[in-house]
Amino acid sequence: MALVASAAIFILITSTITASNSASVIDDLNNLHPPQDFAETIKHNCEMIPSLRYCNASPSDLTEIFKSTIVASHLCNESKNPNCVQTFTKIDLRNRPKIAPLYLSFSFFWKYCPLTIIDIDLSNNSLKGGFPTDVLKCSQIQALDLSHNELSGYFPFQDFSPLTNLTHLNLSYNHFSECKISNTHFFKRFKPSSFVHSGLIPNQGKFTLKALILLIGFPILVILVVGFFWWLCFKRPDYLPASLRSDHKFTVSMIEAATHDFSTKHLVGKFEGFDIYKGVLRNGTEVRIEIYWDKISNYSRRKFVEECSDLVRLSHRNLVRVLGWCNNGKLRAIVSEWNEGESVETWLLDSNPSWKRRLQVLVGVLEGMCYVEEERPQIGYDLRTRSVLVSEDGEPLISRFKFGDQHSIMKKIYKFGIFLLEMVSNKRPREEFQSGEAGFLEWVKMHYPGSVRKVIDERMKLTGRPFEQASQGVGLGLMCTDLSAGMQPGLSQIANVIRKVYQSHLVLTSLNHNRLLGIDKGEGHQRMQTK
């Protein structure tokens, strides 16, 4: 039935173009027009065979359908079909590089491809560009040959699904893109010779190499990725976004990076049991890193972490801010903000501070001590003058904290007593006395109260009320170092006494200043009268 309907169309146009059979397909497309009964012929054919491709076309498509019959007539003759008036079974344009691209360009023909065509041969035409998908609209074909061309790019595997009758396919000697593994089922429909040098089948050597790379490279890649994330999480978490890392935990690698592998250039000093380095964190923050190399028990390490967790919560102007800690089998470390100030020991020796400035430092130290006792009484701290700093703006800073179970308030007050006596006397117990602190205390007691002037730093040149205040400071220091039951004053009592002495000294200094100004003014007035 399809052949009969198609024949009717060809008979119709054959009579129309008989007089111009020497004209080209382009001439006929430009000069010929649908006959008056063309629409009726189309309608009749569709009543006979509704599956014809033009049956669902609208009346406005009649001209396009007519043009497709013109192309079909010429193409049938070009393909040397034996009787184009009766049937059109094969498109044979092999070795026709001049006209093959022309007929491929008539998309309206392929849209209404005659159902009689079962074989399309476009081989040996040097066709370039992508796969000519229009030919696949002839979905009834049984054979398609596109071999020996220069087609390239993506091959439309999915567009071949409707071509259920296709049994012969030749794509050899083209340059299509290599297929994906997911499309390999397509090749099972056809002989291997259909794809020789088509570019679709992976090169065996390349395929073997890729498989080898995949089998060996992928596990290595996984190991590298896992290793990288392990390094990132456990070695250098400072490279992680802030939301994914712990703010206070430092690793050995982070400490090594901050100090350039513990470079001597970054070493501030070596002390008994620990070293101090100046470091720079990845974000540019300058830090003070106190490193302990000693080996301690697991219980002590847990206590260390617990106390460091308390330290990072402390925030006071007279305490160096602790940023975090490192707890590793290799070392332990406390990381705190770097301060450009000097130690009280150096400050006393080099700056010869006044009694007022010394009182100011004592008040600051006591305020820091009171804050710690109120917030975290279990935390100990080092009150030696070499450990307490004086910042650039003159504020004292408790910079070192101690760990363990021996942080009783009595011992803290004792240490403050030693600190107070050092501030008044400008003596260094460990360097200037053979028996250290004990010898220093004996020396102070020997001169107090009778010859207390020998204890007070003579560089201050104190007289009158300031001298009495310094003498009281010596007495308070001795009370703090007296560990006899009930003899030590409380921390709040000590703080109140020092604050009152400081305020009293400020008032006294102000009065003396005003008195001097008054004298100067009086003398000036007398000189004016004399003149």
Side-chain angles (χ1 to χ4, degrees), residues 202-382:
N203 179 279
Q204 188 63 34
K206 290 182 178 178
F207 184 80
T208 303
L209 180 62
K210 288 181 179 179
L212 190 63
I213 291 173
L214 186 65
L215 290 173
I216 298 176
F218 182 72
I220 292 175
L221 179 62
V222 170
I223 292 171
L224 290 175
V225 170
V226 171
F228 171 73
F229 279 103
W230 178 86
W231 177 84
L232 201 61
C233 294
F234 297 102
K235 292 288 187 178
R236 293 300 302 273
D238 49 330
Y239 279 95
L240 291 170
S243 58
L244 297 179
R245 66 173 183 261
S246 172
D247 290 334
H248 307 301
K249 292 181 181 179
F250 289 80
T251 64
V252 173
S253 296
M254 291 169 67
I255 300 295
E256 289 174 341
T259 60
H260 289 191
D261 291 325
F262 306 110
S263 166
T264 54
K265 181 181 176 181
H266 290 264
L267 181 64
V268 176
K270 284 182 170 290
F271 304 93
E272 186 178 349
F274 66 95
D275 299 336
I276 294 179
Y277 285 84
K278 180 180 180 180
V280 180
L281 301 183
R282 185 173 171 271
N283 62 5
T285 302
E286 291 186 335
V287 292
R288 177 181 185 271
I289 305 175
E290 193 172 303
I291 298 177
Y292 299 85
W293 301 99
D294 57 333
K295 293 183 179 180
I296 59 175
S297 66
N298 290 334
Y299 172 77
S300 297
R301 286 191 176 278
R302 287 195 297 271
K303 291 292 292 180
F304 171 78
V305 172
E306 290 173 6
E307 294 190 344
C308 285
S309 300
D310 290 331
L311 282 178
V312 296
R313 294 182 175 89
L314 298 178
S315 179
H316 191 272
R317 66 175 183 171
N318 296 117
L319 303 178
V320 168
R321 184 185 168 212
V322 176
L323 301 177
W325 67 90
C326 174
N327 181 33
N328 184 273
K330 183 178 179 181
L331 59 85
R332 291 177 299 134
I334 300 175
V335 182
S336 56
E337 285 186 338
W338 178 260
N339 190 282
E340 291 294 346
E342 58 187 347
S343 69
V344 169
E345 182 179 76
T346 303
W347 179 69
L348 287 171
L349 289 172
D350 298 344
S351 302
N352 186 24
S354 65
W355 176 236
K356 173 187 172 182
R357 289 287 295 115
R358 300 187 197 207
L359 284 172
Q360 187 179 1
V361 168
L362 288 169
V363 169
V365 170
L366 283 165
E367 287 181 355
M369 292 175 66
C370 290
Y371 170 79
V372 174
E373 291 309 308
E374 182 178 346
E375 297 293 327
R376 296 287 189 273
Q378 69 275 20
I379 293 177
Y381 33 81
D382 189 345

Side-chain angles (χ1 to χ4, degrees), residues 396-453:
L397 293 167
I398 298 174
S399 65
R400 287 202 64 240
F401 300 90
K402 292 189 173 182
F403 304 95
D405 299 320
Q406 301 175 354
H407 308 319
S408 69
I409 189 62
M410 288 181 65
K411 287 197 174 183
K412 292 175 182 177
I413 291 175
Y414 173 87
K415 289 297 182 182
F416 177 77
I418 298 293
F419 180 80
L420 171 56
L421 292 172
E422 288 186 56
M423 289 287 287
V424 174
S425 66
N426 189 29
K427 296 293 184 181
R428 294 180 295 171
R430 284 156 292 279
E431 287 78 9
E432 299 182 34
F433 296 90
Q434 188 173 1
S435 53
E437 288 182 0
F440 174 57
L441 288 176
E442 286 300 321
W443 175 77
V444 173
K445 291 174 183 179
M446 181 175 65
H447 294 292
Y448 182 82
S451 52
V452 71
R453 184 172 291 277

Side-chain angles (χ1 to χ4, degrees), residues 6 29 112 118 276 309 324 326 364 374 458 480 499 501 512:
S6 296
L29 286 172
Y112 303 112
I118 58 174
I276 294 179
S309 300
C326 174
E374 182 178 346
E458 61 181 11
C480 292
R499 284 195 196 100
V501 171
N512 290 338

